[in-house]
C-alpha cells in the first residue's frame, strides 16, 4: 500500500505529461488550413518617378569601399522597381509572358552554372548603411528588379539591375564596340574625375574568375558570360557610386565596351552575390556586411520596393535560417529547406534529402531575387502540387498555362479560400501569403499555382514567393531572415 502511495505522484506526473503532449499535438494539428486569396488582375505596367539630382546638403562621401576603417558605419537605402517599368508599351498579358520567357532563361543560366561547377569538381576563382528603391522588371535576362544610382564624378544617373545570383558590378561604357539599347546615355569614363583603371596583376584584378590584360594599356580586363548567351567585356576599373546623396568610393566594376544579350533597358548590373567582388562584399566593412530588400506585390500595391544596406537592414522580427556554403560555388545564397506544409499538414515525401547540397557542389536550395517562379526538384514539386490539388479541390480547374500545370478558373469571384503553404527552413517556418503562390496568368480570371518542377538538382526560391517579406542577408552572422509584411 505504501509502495502504491509513493508511486502516485509519479503516475500523476506521467498523466499530466500525457495530457500536455496531447494538447501540444492538438495545437500543432489545428494550425491554419486555409486562408483568403483576394482576386487581383494582372498588374499594369508600373510608372517611374526618379529625382536625378541630390541637394548638396544631403550629399555625403562615405569612405572608400576598400578602406579598412570600420570605426564608423552608416546605412543606405534605395528604391527598387520591376523591369516591366522599362518595357515599351505592352499589355499586362505581354508583360507577364515576357517575364516567364526571361524566367526560363534565368533558370537555365543558374542551373548550367551550378551543373558546370559540379561536373568540373573545381572551385571558382574567388555598420553603416544606405538605401535605394528597387524596381521589378520584365525586360532583362539577368534580374527582375532595378534601381537608379549615380555613376562617376559628377554623378551620371542610370538604371542598374540588382542581382543576387551574380557578383561582378558592371556598366556599359563609351566608346562602344557593341552596346545594347539602354534608357539613359551610355556612361563615358573620360568625363568622370573619379574613374580609374586597375593595373594588370593587381590584387583586385586577380579576384576575377578569369582576369585578362590589355597589354597595350597595361590595364585589367574582365569578361562575364551568362547562361543565356549574354555577356559583357571591357576594362576592370574603380569608380564612385552615388545612392541618394551617399557617395561610395572606389567600387571595383567592369566598364563594358562590348555587351550583348538580354540586357535591354538598364545601363548595367549591381552584383549582390556572396562572391568577393560583389557589391555587398566590397562594401562589407562600411555596412557591417548586411543588406535587405522588400519586393512588393505589384498586383496589389503601387508602392515601390526597397533595398537597405547597413545595420538598419536587420529587422527585429525576422525569422532566420543559417546560410550554407557551397565550396565549389561562392556566388549563390544556399539555405536548408527541410519540408513544406499544405493546409496545416507536412507533405509526405518532401524531405530534406531532396534538397541536400552534396560534396561535389550539386543540389541544394538557393534564394534568388532574379528568378520569378520557385523551382523545386521534380519529386518535391510533384508531392507539393498533388497536396495542393487535394486541398483546393473545391476550386474550378482551368487548363495548364505555360510552365504551370495546376490552374484554376476564378472568374467572377472577388475572393476564395485556398490551402495554406508553409516553407520549413532550418530554424524558420515561413508561411506564404496566398498571393505568393496563386497568381493571375491572364485577364480572364485564370490563376495558377506558382511553383514548378525542375530536372536539375538545384532548387530556387523565386521572387514571387518572396513578395511582401523583407528578406534580410546578414552575412556577418552567415544567415538569411524573412520578415512578413516587411515592405512598410
Amino acid at each position: 500500500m505504501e509502495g502504491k502511495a509513493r508511486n502516485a505522484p509519479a503516475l500523476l506526473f506521467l498523466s499530466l505529461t500525457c495530457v500536455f503532449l496531447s494538447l501540444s499535438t492538438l495545437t500543432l494539428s489545428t494550425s491554419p488550413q486555409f486562408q483568403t486569396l483576394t482576386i487581383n488582375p494582372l498588374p499594369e505596367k508600373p510608372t517611374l518617378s526618379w529625382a536625378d539630382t541630390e541637394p548638396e546638403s544631403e550629399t555625403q562621401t562615405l569612405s572608400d569601399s576598400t578602406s579598412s576603417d570600420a570605426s564608423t558605419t552608416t546605412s543606405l537605402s534605395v528604391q527598387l522597381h520591376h523591369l516591366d517599368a522599362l518595357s515599351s508599351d505592352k499589355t499586362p498579358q505581354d508583360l507577364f509572358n515576357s517575364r516567364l520567357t526571361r524566367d526560363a532563361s534565368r533558370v537555365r543560366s543558374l542551373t548550367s552554372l551550378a551543373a558546370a561547377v559540379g561536373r568540373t569538381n573545381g572551385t571558382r576563382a574567388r555598420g553603416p548603411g544606405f538605401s535605394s528603391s528597387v524596381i521589378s522588371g520584365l525586360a532583362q535576362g539577368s534580374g527582375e528588379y532595378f534601381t537608379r544610382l549615380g555613376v562617376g564624378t559628377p554623378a551620371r544617373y542610370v538604371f542598374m539591375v540588382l542581382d543576387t545570383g551574380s557578383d561582378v558590378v558592371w556598366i556599359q561604357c563609351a566608346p562602344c564596340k557593341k552596346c545594347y539599347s539602354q534608357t539613359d546615355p551610355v556612361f563615358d569614363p573620360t568625363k568622370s574625375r573619379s574613374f580609374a583603371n586597375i593595373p594588370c596583376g593587381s590584387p583586385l584584378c586577380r579576384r576575377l574568375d578569369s582576369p585578362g590584360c590589355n597589354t597595350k594599356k597595361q590595364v585589367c580586363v574582365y569578361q562575364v558570360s551568362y547562361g543565356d548567351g549574354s555577356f559583357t567585356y571591357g576594362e576592370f576599373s574603380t569608380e564612385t557610386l552615388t545612392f541618394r546623396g551617399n557617395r561610395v568610393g572606389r567600387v571595383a566594376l567592369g566598364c563594358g565596351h562590348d555587351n550583348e544579350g538580354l540586357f535591354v533597358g538598364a545601363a548595367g548590373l549591381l552584383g549582390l552575390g556572396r562572391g568577393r567582388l560583389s557589391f555587398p562584399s566590397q562594401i562589407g566593412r562600411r555596412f557591417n556586411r548586411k543588406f535587405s530588400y522588400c519586393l512588393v506585390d505589384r498586383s496589389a500595391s503601387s508602392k515601390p520596393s526597397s533595398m537597405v544596406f547597413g545595420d538598419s537592414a536587420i529587422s527585429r522580427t525576422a525569422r532566420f535560417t543559417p546560410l550554407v556554403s557551397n565550396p565549389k560555388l561562392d556566388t549563390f545564397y544556399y539555405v536548408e529547406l527541410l519540408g513544406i506544409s499544405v493546409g496545416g499538414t507536412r507533405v509526405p515525401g518532401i524531405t530534406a534529402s531532396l534538397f541536400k547540397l552534396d560534396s561535389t557542389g550539386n543540389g541544394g536550395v538557393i534564394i534568388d531575387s532574379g528568378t520569378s517562379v520557385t523551382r523545386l526538384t521534380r519529386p518535391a514539386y510533384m508531392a507539393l502540387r498533388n497536396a495542393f490539388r487535394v486541398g483546393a479541390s473545391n476550386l474550378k480547374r482551368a487548363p495548364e498555362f505555360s510552365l504551370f500545370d495546376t490552374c484554376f478558373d476564378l472568374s467572377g469571384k472577388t475572393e476564395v479560400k485556398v490551402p495554406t503553404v508553409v516553407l520549413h527552413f532550418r530554424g524558420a517556418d515561413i508561411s506564404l501569403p496566398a498571393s505568393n503562390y496563386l497568381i493571375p496568368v491572364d485577364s480572364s480570371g485564370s490563376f495558377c499555382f506558382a511553383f514548378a518542377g525542375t530536372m536539375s538538382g538545384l532548387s530556387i526560391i523565386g521572387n514571387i514567393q518572396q513578395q511582401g517579406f523583407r528578406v534580410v542577408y546578414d552575412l556577418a552572422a552567415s544567415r538569411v531572415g524573412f520578415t512578413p509584411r516587411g515592405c512598410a
Side-chain angles (χ1 to χ4, degrees):
M1 190 72 189
E2 237 178 274
K4 288 182 182 178
R6 275 198 302 268
N7 287 337
L11 290 170
L12 179 62
F13 174 76
L14 283 171
S15 300
L16 289 173
T17 303
C18 290
V19 170
F20 175 74
L21 287 173
S22 299
L23 288 173
S24 299
T25 307
L26 184 64
T27 303
L28 288 172
S29 66
T30 55
S31 57
Q33 296 181 5
F34 295 92
Q35 61 181 330
T36 300
L37 171 71
T38 302
I39 306 301
N40 288 309
L42 280 172
E44 299 282 342
K45 175 186 169 183
T47 55
L48 288 178
S49 58
W50 297 89
D52 279 0
T53 56
E54 306 285 354
E56 201 58 41
S57 60
E58 290 185 14
T59 303
Q60 60 170 315
T61 301
L62 306 175
S63 67
D64 291 347
S65 64
T66 52
S67 167
S68 60
D69 176 18
S71 58
T72 59
T73 61
T74 181
S75 286
L76 295 181
S77 71
V78 296
Q79 280 192 340
L80 302 178
H81 295 269
H82 197 277
L83 279 176
D84 281 354
L86 294 185
S87 301
S88 55
D89 292 334
K90 289 184 176 181
T91 65
Q93 189 67 62
D94 290 338
L95 291 172
F96 184 70
N97 292 344
S98 297
R99 183 179 192 180
L100 294 182
T101 300
R102 282 197 315 279
D103 198 47
S105 174
R106 168 75 172 192
V107 170
R108 281 195 301 272
S109 175
L110 297 181
T111 55
S112 65
L113 176 58
V117 170
R119 281 195 304 270
T120 57
N121 199 26
T123 56
R124 301 198 318 154
R126 297 168 289 254
F130 62 86
S131 79
S132 240
S133 295
V134 180
I135 299 176
S136 91
L138 300 182
Q140 224 103 345
S142 59
E144 289 290 285
Y145 289 83
F146 65 89
T147 192
R148 194 156 181 83
L149 53 84
V151 181
T153 308
R156 268 82 174 179
Y157 281 81
V158 295
F159 293 119
M160 297 278 280
V161 169
L162 295 101
D163 182 13
T164 56
S166 59
D167 293 323
V168 175
V169 180
W170 61 266
I171 184 172
Q172 293 204 110
C173 284
C176 285
K177 177 182 176 184
K178 185 162 186 180
C179 288
Y180 57 84
S181 172
Q182 66 177 60
T183 306
D184 299 289
V186 174
F187 177 70
D188 185 348
T190 64
K191 295 181 179 176
S192 170
R193 297 193 302 272
S194 49
F195 180 87
N197 283 312
I198 295 171
C200 300
S202 69
L204 260 182
C205 188
R206 288 197 299 269
R207 287 191 197 178
L208 288 165
D209 287 351
S210 305
C213 181
N214 181 327
T215 52
K216 193 174 178 181
K217 297 183 182 177
Q218 281 301 303
V219 298
C220 185
V221 172
Y222 82 99
Q223 175 167 337
V224 177
S225 299
Y226 298 91
D228 59 6
S230 305
F231 68 87
T232 174
Y233 171 85
E235 296 151 358
F236 202 47
S237 322
T238 60
E239 185 55 289
T240 295
L241 301 182
T242 303
F243 299 79
R244 286 187 172 176
N246 294 293
R247 287 194 294 259
V248 182
R250 288 187 53 78
V251 175
L253 52 78
C255 189
H257 301 287
D258 188 359
N259 317 284
E260 302 178 36
L262 300 176
F263 306 119
V264 181
L269 185 142
L270 196 70
L272 298 173
R274 289 180 82 181
R276 295 183 302 170
L277 283 173
S278 74
F279 186 65
S281 294
Q282 290 194 55
I283 64 168
R285 288 192 183 96
R286 170 56 53 182
F287 300 104
N288 285 339
R289 303 183 65 211
K290 296 167 186 171
F291 71 95
S292 67
Y293 56 70
C294 199
L295 310 176
V296 298
D297 176 358
R298 292 181 306 119
S299 65
S301 171
S302 58
K303 290 191 307 182
S305 305
S306 65
M307 173 170 281
V308 179
F309 295 85
D311 287 340
S312 55
I314 304 295
S315 164
R316 289 182 200 163
T317 56
R319 299 164 193 161
F320 285 97
T321 186
L323 280 168
V324 178
S325 290
N326 182 350
K328 311 298 184 185
L329 186 60
D330 59 5
T331 299
F332 298 158
Y333 292 97
Y334 285 89
V335 291
E336 279 188 89
L337 182 60
L338 305 179
I340 302 176
S341 290
V342 172
T345 303
R346 289 287 276 258
V347 178
I350 300 185
T351 60
S353 61
L354 293 178
F355 308 113
K356 189 170 176 56
L357 177 66
D358 68 26
S359 58
T360 65
N362 283 313
V365 179
I366 65 171
I367 307 284
D368 184 46
S369 64
T371 300
S372 291
V373 179
T374 288
R375 303 306 204 277
L376 299 174
T377 57
R378 193 78 186 152
Y381 171 70
M382 297 286 281
L384 172 65
R385 177 201 69 183
N386 293 342
F388 189 82
R389 285 179 176 178
V390 170
S393 58
N394 59 313
L395 300 179
K396 182 181 176 184
R397 290 290 295 275
E400 296 182 1
F401 183 95
S402 183
L403 77 166
F404 303 120
D405 63 9
T406 301
C407 301
F408 303 92
D409 178 1
L410 305 184
S411 57
K413 299 183 183 298
T414 56
E415 61 179 39
V416 293
K417 294 286 186 186
V418 297
T420 54
V421 174
V422 179
L423 303 180
H424 300 288
F425 296 101
R426 182 169 297 284
D429 295 334
I430 307 303
S431 181
L432 300 178
S435 57
N436 285 28
Y437 56 86
L438 206 56
I439 62 170
V441 297
D442 61 24
S443 55
S444 57
S446 296
F447 279 66
C448 294
F449 189 52
F451 287 82
T454 175
M455 299 308 291
S456 159
L458 181 69
S459 294
I460 306 169
I461 306 298
N463 60 48
I464 290 175
Q465 280 65 41
Q466 297 174 49
Q467 285 177 168
F469 290 91
R470 179 152 293 281
V471 184
V472 179
Y473 294 79
D474 183 356
L475 306 186
S478 192
R479 59 183 187 165
V480 173
F482 303 88
T483 305
R485 298 175 295 281
C487 292

